[in-house]
Structure formats: structure tokens, C-alpha cells
């Protein structure tokens, strides 16, 4: 019962905070994680997800890394993301179903400088694997 309540609360939080198609994937991931096994074990803002014969047990943060969280990392370290270094990043167009490189697309402006600024409480996007590793190292976590 606690698992179902926890799962439902997480899904509601995600739906309330994020209302675009990109974040539907996050809801699916959360659902998959909590459907793996029984009651989650929580510790330090993380959940131990019990796997099965196909999935090993793993820890995952309860919440996604937000734009505000990532901003603290940038401010503390002066880190420059790969999108900032390259000057562009891939953006998916839901109307055409295509990806394109967009100049100025970064974690702060995921759709480019002409697009809306990323909201602080939304999950951070436009970060590469290397950017994520740097963030995790700073947070003393791992991917």
C-alpha cells in the first residue's frame, strides 16, 4: 500500500511540475522503477529499487536534478557544459519528429536563446554524459 501511495505521489508531483511531452518519459521511468519490486528503501533522498533476475538492485534519486540544482553546481564550480562549449545542442521538434542543432541551446535555454528560459523546478536538460558525471562527482554521487 505504501508503495502504491509513494508511486502515485511521485507521478502527481511529476505531472504537476512538468506539463510537456518530454517529461512523459520521466513518468514512465518512475512507474517502471516502482513496479520492479515491493516497498522501497529510502535513504539520503534516494530509493533502493529492488530488481529481479533481469535487473540488478540500484539506488536512484527520488527526484530528478532540477535546473535550480544544476545552477548551484555551475555557480559553485564555474563548470561550462559541453553545449555551452560547442555553442549549440540537439533539440527535438515534436511537430516534425526531427532533431536539429539549435544555436544557443543550453541547460538554461533548452530550445535556444529565442526559446523560453528553463524553469528552476523543471528537470535539467541539455546536459551531456560528461556534464552529468561532473555534476555527480560534485554531489558525491555516481551514474
Amino acid at each position: 500500500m505504501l508503495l502504491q501511495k509513494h508511486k502515485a505521489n511521485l507521478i502527481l508531483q511529476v505531472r504537476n511540475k512538468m506539463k510537456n511531452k518530454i517529461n512523459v518519459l520521466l513518468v514512465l521511468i518512475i512507474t517502471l522503477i516502482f513496479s520492479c519490486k515491493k516497498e522501497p528503501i529510502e535513504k539520503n533522498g534516494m530509493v533502493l529499487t529492488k530488481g529481479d533476475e533481469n535487473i540488478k538492485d540500484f539506488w536512484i534519486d527520488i527526484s530528478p536534478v532540477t535546473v535550480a540544482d544544476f545552477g548551484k553546481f555551475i555557480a559553485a564550480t564555474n563548470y561550462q557544459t559541453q553545449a555551452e562549449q560547442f555553442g549549440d545542442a540537439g533539440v527535438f521538434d515534436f511537430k516534425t519528429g526531427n532533431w536539429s542543432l539549435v544555436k544557443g541551446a543550453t541547460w538554461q535555454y533548452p530550445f535556444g536563446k529565442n526559446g523560453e528560459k528553463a524553469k528552476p523546478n523543471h528537470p535539467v536538460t541539455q546536459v551531456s554524459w560528461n556534464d552529468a558525471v561532473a555534476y555527480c562527482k560534485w554531489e558525491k554521487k555516481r551514474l
Side-chain angles (χ1 to χ4, degrees):
M1 182 67 173
L2 179 62
L3 173 64
Q4 293 297 340
K5 183 179 176 186
H6 190 69
K7 178 176 147 184
N9 284 339
L10 279 174
I11 290 171
L12 283 174
Q13 287 174 11
V14 170
R15 283 184 185 158
N16 288 336
K17 289 181 181 178
M18 300 158 260
K19 296 182 179 177
N20 64 44
K21 292 179 183 179
I22 295 172
N23 296 307
V24 170
L25 179 60
L26 186 58
V27 173
L28 294 174
I29 291 169
I30 290 170
T31 302
L32 171 66
I33 289 167
F34 287 105
S35 66
C36 288
K37 284 274 179 171
K38 302 174 181 145
E39 297 292 324
I41 299 170
E42 295 184 30
K43 181 180 175 184
N44 299 330
M46 299 180 76
V47 174
L48 177 62
T49 303
K50 293 291 200 174
D52 57 23
E53 63 276 356
N54 298 312
I55 302 172
K56 293 181 182 179
D57 295 357
F58 61 93
W59 287 93
I60 188 168
D61 280 356
I62 291 173
S63 303
V65 176
T66 64
V67 172
D69 296 332
F70 198 76
K72 291 175 189 171
F73 159 66
I74 297 292
T77 63
N78 292 316
Y79 183 84
Q80 188 177 33
T81 65
Q82 290 188 302
E84 291 167 325
Q85 292 170 20
F86 299 148
D88 56 27
V91 174
F92 185 75
D93 184 334
F94 284 97
K95 291 178 185 171
T96 65
N98 294 314
W99 287 91
S100 60
L101 282 178
V102 175
K103 290 220 177 280
T106 67
W107 66 276
Q108 291 179 299
Y109 290 91
F111 299 102
K113 289 288 184 182
N114 294 331
E116 186 178 337
K117 187 169 184 173
K119 292 180 175 39
N121 63 340
H122 280 212
V124 69
T125 60
Q126 301 298 13
V127 293
S128 69
W129 171 267
N130 293 324
D131 300 335
V133 169
Y135 175 83
C136 288
K137 184 176 178 183
W138 178 73
E139 274 285 6
K140 296 179 178 55
K141 294 184 178 186
R142 66 181 181 85
L143 292 178

